[in-house]
Each structure stands twice: as structure tokens, then as C-alpha cells.
Amino acid sequence: MANHRVDRVGMEIKREVNEILQKKVRDPRVQDVTITDVQMLGDLSAAKVYYTIHSTLASDNQKAQTGLEKATGTIKRELGKNLTMYKIPDLIFVKDESIEYGNKIDQMLRNLEKK
């Protein structure tokens, strides 16, 4: 039963963080960032926030990570205003590699079909 609550809180944080990044954070480093998933710890004390960025350049990825880390305070403050939780979880931003991995697999399959 507790797992259901963890999933609901994670989905709510995902929705809110996406909205906060679009409307409240003015840092140009995070303009193309999209939150793809949030995984909560069981006690709701921390959240791993997975994100993607449209650029494939390593420098853009590093800038986005830095921008998200700098904006963590703003994001937590806005989450505190929008969510009715006793304690807002610590946010840990992690680059989501699954989309790039899926694209790589698709490309490999296309190359097999050509042969």
C-alpha cells in the first residue's frame, strides 16, 4: 500500500518540476530539459529526478546538469508551495540515458535489415 503512495508522490513531483522548469526557472541552461521520471525513496526523503535534453553535445549536457543543480533551491521552494507534504524530498538530478539507448538499438536493427 505504501508503494502506491510513493508512486503517486513521484508522479506529482514529476508534473510539478516540469511545470516549474517551464514557468519559474529563467536559467537558459535548463530551457530544453524535460523530466522523464521520478523515483522516490520509500520514506519520501529523496527523489531521483531523471531528465533528458534535446541536444546531444556533451557540453550542453554538462551545462544542463549544472543549471539543474543551481536551480534545486528554487524548485524545492516552489514544490513546497504547490504540494501538501510535511517535508519536500531532496532532489537528485540524473541524466536519463534510456532514450539514447533505445535510439541506438533502433539504429542497429535498421542496419541489420539493410544487410
Side-chain angles (χ1 to χ4, degrees), residues 44-105:
L44 303 178
S45 65
K48 274 190 181 177
V49 181
Y50 292 91
Y51 69 92
T52 61
I53 185 168
H54 299 294
S55 174
T56 57
L57 297 174
S59 62
D60 287 346
N61 289 329
Q62 184 60 39
K63 287 178 186 175
Q65 180 72 31
T66 304
L68 287 169
E69 289 169 0
K70 295 284 186 186
T72 301
T74 302
I75 294 169
K76 281 187 73 168
R77 184 176 61 249
E78 291 296 322
L79 283 174
K81 291 178 186 176
N82 298 338
L83 300 178
T84 55
M85 292 179 65
Y86 177 71
K87 181 181 182 294
I88 300 300
D90 293 328
L91 303 176
I92 303 157
F93 290 98
V94 180
K95 173 112 172 56
D96 189 353
E97 304 289 343
S98 64
I99 294 174
E100 292 172 15
Y101 181 72
N103 289 339
K104 181 179 175 185
I105 298 295

Side-chain angles (χ1 to χ4, degrees), residues 9 15-16 18-19 22 24-25 31 35 37 60-61 67-68 72 78 86 92 95 101-102 109 114:
V9 170
R15 187 180 64 77
E16 290 291 334
N18 266 322
E19 189 172 315
Q22 289 176 359
K24 300 286 184 180
V25 178
Q31 294 302 319
I35 305 302
D37 192 23
D60 287 346
N61 289 329
L68 287 169
T72 301
E78 291 296 322
Y86 177 71
I92 303 157
K95 173 112 172 56
Y101 181 72
L109 290 173
K114 291 178 183 177

Side-chain angles (χ1 to χ4, degrees), residues 25-36:
V25 178
R26 300 283 184 229
D27 193 337
R29 296 176 288 192
V30 298
Q31 294 302 319
D32 293 333
V33 171
T34 303
I35 305 302
T36 56

